[in-house]
Amino acid sequence: LMANEMPGMGRRLAAMALDLLLLKLLEAPLSNLLRGSMEGPVHLVLAQFAVVLVYATILLNRSGQTLGKRVMKLRVMNESGGGVSLVQAAARSALKWSPVFGFLMLVFSAVPYLPSEVGTPPTGAPTIPAGSALAAALSYGVMLLGMVLFWLTRNHPDHRAPPDRASGTLVVRTP
């Protein structure tokens, strides 16, 4: 690829932000309905993660572009320049979004259990269930791994992020 065909970090992050904003607007009514039936915020984040995976996988497989990528004039293709297979789209989406949702699960797994005041928790305050501690540890691990892989590969001349390398895809600018 020519240097002018490889998008910079800003363009890729803007596409990601646009996708998140669009999905949040579309997902807000669904979250309000699900909030009462979910055991806690971690389960809601998992449901949101599933929605993002389905959205990104279907659109990348069909056109190589999510709506955010289309606005930012970006396209995902396989290493030989062709379309992205369903397996590549699913792998890329899962690897790309896991650190983001891993971080959210980490935050939300702790939020309901934080004491309202500094010091000893009030009598009757909920305690952290063992499953939540494990979920927080796993979430932190996924987030940390994603950040390390991101920083290790971003200085490579082809500017491919870890999800692209692992799934055999690359992101290019479109006219």
Side-chain angles (χ1 to χ4, degrees):
L1 285 177
M2 303 296 292
N4 64 349
E5 293 177 303
M6 294 183 290
M9 176 71 77
R11 190 177 290 253
R12 291 175 75 140
L13 287 175
M16 190 173 173
L18 287 170
D19 284 331
L20 281 175
L21 178 64
L22 173 70
L23 285 165
K24 191 62 184 169
L25 291 173
L26 295 174
E27 169 268 334
L30 178 63
S31 286
N32 288 336
L33 288 174
L34 292 176
R35 195 165 274 131
S37 65
M38 296 285 178
E39 288 184 30
V42 172
H43 294 101
L44 187 59
V45 171
L46 283 172
Q48 292 168 338
F49 182 48
V51 168
V52 168
L53 288 181
V54 169
Y55 163 82
T57 298
I58 289 172
L59 290 178
L60 291 179
N61 177 246
R62 288 192 177 178
S63 67
Q65 294 177 300
T66 60
L67 297 176
K69 282 181 179 42
R70 184 168 289 150
V71 169
M72 297 308 300
K73 299 185 185 288
L74 300 174
R75 180 179 304 277
V76 177
M77 59 180 55
N78 67 27
E79 291 171 326
S80 62
V84 178
S85 73
L86 184 61
V87 171
Q88 286 176 309
R92 184 183 189 280
S93 299
L95 291 169
K96 175 182 177 178
W97 292 102
S98 291
V100 173
F101 284 91
F103 174 74
L104 291 174
M105 286 189 292
L106 172 68
V107 169
F108 288 125
S109 65
V111 168
Y113 309 108
L114 294 176
S116 57
E117 297 177 22
V118 177
T120 308
T123 305
T127 57
I128 300 174
S132 292
L134 178 61
L138 289 174
S139 299
Y140 182 74
V142 167
M143 177 192 68
L144 187 61
L145 178 63
M147 290 169 51
V148 167
L149 290 174
F150 175 80
W151 288 113
L152 287 175
T153 59
R154 285 309 296 167
N155 292 328
H156 195 277
D158 69 7
H159 295 279
R160 290 171 63 197
D164 293 313
R165 289 182 188 286
S167 64
T169 62
L170 54 109
V171 179
V172 296
R173 289 186 193 172
T174 61

